[in-house]
Amino acid sequence: MDLLKNTFLFRVYREFKLLFVMLIVFMVGTLWFALKSREEFPFLLFGMYSLKEEAQEEYIAYSIVVDGNEIIYKSMSDAQRELASTTLINTLAINNPLSNTGFTNWLKRYKAGNKPLEIYKLTCLYLPDGKPLIMKRELIYPHDQF
C-alpha cells in the first residue's frame, strides 16, 4: 500500500480533489478516444488527423526525375520526403509556379545536385488489388527551363 501512496495520482487525490477528478476525466476521455481511433489528445486537436478521407476515382501524385532516374520516395527519410513533396505541392498551387525561381533553384540544389531535373504530374487510379495505375503523365517542369 505504501507504493500507491507515493504515486502522483494519490498525492493529487490527497491534496487537491478537484484536480484529481479533472485528471481522471481527462485520462478516461483520452483512452476512450484512442480506442475509437480518434486523437490521443482529443480536447485540443479533435478530428485534425482522424477524419476519414473519402475515396476518390483519381488521385494526383508528383514524380521527380533527376538525370533520367525517378526519385523513389521510400528511399528518402520522412523529413526529406515531407520537405520535398510539401514544398512542391505548395509551389504548384501558385498560378505561375515557373516564376518562383527560388523554389526551382532550391530543388535543383537540394535533390538534383544541379543535374537535369524534371517534374511530372501523375493522374492515378487504384486497382482493386491496391496497386496504382498511372492514367496520365504530364510534364510540369522540363529540365531545360531551370
Side-chain angles (χ1 to χ4, degrees):
M1 189 64 172
D2 288 335
L3 181 65
L4 289 177
K5 289 183 180 180
N6 292 329
T7 64
F8 172 74
L9 285 176
F10 186 79
R11 288 181 184 176
V12 170
Y13 173 74
R14 187 178 48 208
E15 295 180 24
F16 195 47
K17 292 187 180 18
L18 179 62
L19 180 60
F20 175 77
V21 170
M22 290 170 46
L23 284 172
I24 295 297
V25 167
F26 177 76
M27 289 188 297
V28 168
T30 301
L31 180 64
W32 186 79
F33 278 97
L35 291 174
K36 294 291 185 179
S37 298
R38 295 290 180 175
E39 294 297 323
E40 293 178 21
F41 196 70
F43 305 113
L44 297 179
L45 299 174
F46 179 74
M48 186 171 176
Y49 300 108
S50 58
L51 293 178
K52 303 286 185 211
E53 185 174 336
E54 297 295 324
Q56 304 172 17
E57 284 189 30
E58 295 181 343
Y59 294 87
I60 302 297
Y62 297 95
S63 172
I64 302 173
V65 178
V66 176
D67 201 22
N69 299 321
E70 184 174 358
I71 292 178
I72 307 299
Y73 285 112
K74 284 184 181 179
S75 67
M76 300 167 67
S77 68
D78 286 340
Q80 288 177 328
R81 180 175 47 245
E82 189 68 26
L83 184 62
S85 63
T86 304
T87 307
L88 174 63
I89 291 168
N90 289 339
T91 302
L92 292 174
I94 301 171
N95 289 336
N96 186 6
L98 283 176
S99 66
N100 189 348
T101 57
F103 167 73
T104 53
N105 290 336
W106 171 81
L107 189 59
K108 267 185 82 171
R109 284 191 318 272
Y110 180 71
K111 245 3 234 177
N114 290 323
K115 296 177 184 171
L117 175 77
E118 297 175 337
I119 300 174
Y120 292 91
K121 179 180 179 181
L122 309 175
T123 304
C124 305
L125 297 175
Y126 283 100
L127 300 175
D129 63 353
K131 294 181 182 177
L133 174 66
I134 299 173
M135 298 299 293
K136 185 168 80 170
R137 185 179 180 103
E138 178 184 349
L139 181 64
I140 296 175
Y141 289 134
H143 77 286
D144 58 352
Q145 289 189 6
F146 277 109

